[in-house]
Amino acid sequence: MATSEKYEHSSTKAEDGHDGHDHAGSLFGEKTELFFALLAGALVLAGWLFKKAEIGSDWLSTTLYCAAYVFGGYFTLKEAIDNLRAKRFEIDTLMLVAAAGAAALGKWGEGALLLFLFSLGHSLEHFAMARARRAIEALAKLAPETAIVRRGDITEEVPVESLQPGEIVLVKPNERLPADGVITKGTTSVNQAPVTGESVPVDKEPVTDAKAAIAAFDKTPANNRVFAGTINGAGSIEVMVARLATQSTMARVVQMVADAEAQRSPTQQFTDKFERKFVPAVLGLVVLLMLAFLVIDEPFADSFYRAMAVLVASSPCALAISVPSAVLSGVARAGRSGVLVKGGGPLENLGTLTSIAFDKTGTLTEGKPKMTDVVVASGTEEAELLNVVLAVEAHSDHPLASALVIGARDRLGGKRQQVTANNVKSITGRGIEADVDGEKVYVAKPIHFTELTAGAVPEALASANEKLVANGCTTMIVLKGERYLGVIGVMDTPREVAGEVMGKLRTLGIERLIMISGDNQKVADSVARTVGLTEARGDLMPDQKVEEIKRLRETHGKVAMVGDGVNDAPAMANSTVGIAMGAAGSDVALEAADVALMGDDLSQLPFVVGLSRQTSSVIKQNLWISLGVVAALIPATIFGLNIGTAVLFHEGSTIIVVINALRLLAFKDKTSA
């Protein structure tokens, strides 16, 4: 897959700022550095045992220590040279200076121990970071390398990279799909978990007009489109390719996750600034300690040794790796569950905020209006009302019309009659009119009937209409001739999981759950009550939504905005973290969001908030560990702690923060238990 090459190219730089080691052609491949470190440790141990047991003369143990220098310092020296060529003075250089200083003082054993533990810590660090990267890189390998394409009357196997939009590929049962596209033949269910995180396979069926569907791929219904890397079920299908391999949803996600590594989180920016000031200060302290023999009565060798010990103790190895290791592990874990997080900034910010704003339509609600209520006037049968509505609205292409048609058919069942509507006309902004059984019929908003001469709406019907509106319904009154038949309530119903999701978010510490909507305030209030929001703002134009987000940020600090990534892009852009729903297949949503929930599944939100909370906690723990060890070791080495013990604590803290960060790869959503 072409994406793999891009990913590998973008990943050659390690997160901690050091170049990745190139082990190409090495005897043990990626494990060469670890093998060298362990060999250095064995030589240090052998040298110490020979010296303790007084086996051979001093030259034997010294020779073993020198050999440990070679194996323990090989990769450290190699990296230090690369850094110096790039005009970077890094931790590797400090370690080599300390080891050389120990050798100059005849402390070969302590110098060898320093290089062994430093190289061991570095090799384990690189191994751990590579493991986190592989969790992301595995996404790039989900799509197959070849596809069966039908060209004319023949079929042939071709590389996925050669597929062009409009070509037809054949997918057998239980195979991975090679490209984004739409189904043209066959029905099946597809496991979309690799892209969207959905746990249940999604039923798929052929699209009516394939070419039109691939031209507007992000607007094509979910049951017609498929994505590269997902897994076909039991049915054989034919798929028309919608995008090149490098432009597929999977390819874009992998590339964006890879790019996210380069983005610095707020805490990482802080640690970078801290290191830039801390390292020169430490070097200044080391120089002063080397000159201590001029002030106090001690040999230069003792002052020099103490300075080297402080140099080892104060090198911020654990600090350098503490934040990027946590961020990368968090991003990898989110990607595995169908959530794209674009770097450490959004991940860390989402873990610290206490306010989330939601769009209503398509986010908290299904995005599809449904007939929810039918109230008939006195003396009218429900079947008569619904048959008239069905006959008239079947001629309209208005979004509400399809809801009325579907709802009427479902409610009528066997009571459906053949009613004919003629001279159907749309009333702009009001509704629709037609002739039925020789009488004029209106299906329109209540305000329209104040403009007619048919007489006022009956009091009982007007009261029923007001109740429906108060409950959040859009209402349509039906008039046939001089007789009012009833009122129908249509509503974009809340998602079934919305209430549960809000409860989980409160459990996670989100204090304010706010809806900002273009719908009228009564509708907004009704939905807010149903799903359990703390606040609802209705009657907002797009520019007013932006102003509302700005107000929330001024009042409450950080705030996230959850929307569809298209209509809500301005509001999302002005929030601390923009979260797009149903981003799979949508270029606009992927570009607009800081966090993209690939599936149209609101229940992914508590997962990513919980993961972000845990990531923020791990980052804080790592900072306390790394800074705490340095703060304790510096005075300890000034007052006599030897290099060997300092190295043990120093490199031990580096390994601890890496292991702590890797725990995020196994994160589980506790709120879903």
Side-chain angles (χ1 to χ4, degrees), residues 63 102-103 140 207 257 275 398 431 446 461 471 486 511 578-579 584:
T63 301
V207 69
V257 172
E275 286 178 35
H398 192 279
L461 207 59
N471 289 332
E511 300 170 359
I579 305 172

Side-chain angles (χ1 to χ4, degrees), residues 375-397:
V375 180
V376 295
S378 178
T380 302
E381 294 289 333
E382 183 177 298
E384 179 188 2
L385 168 64
L386 293 176
N387 275 300
V388 168
V389 169
L390 179 57
V392 174
E393 294 291 346
H395 295 274
S396 174
D397 59 358

Side-chain angles (χ1 to χ4, degrees), residues 153-175:
D153 296 329
I154 63 171
T155 59
E156 56 181 315
E157 187 173 1
V158 300
V160 167
E161 288 82 0
S162 69
L163 292 176
Q164 298 296 316
E167 289 190 311
I168 301 294
V169 295
L170 313 182
V171 184
K172 297 177 182 178
N174 304 315
E175 285 187 345

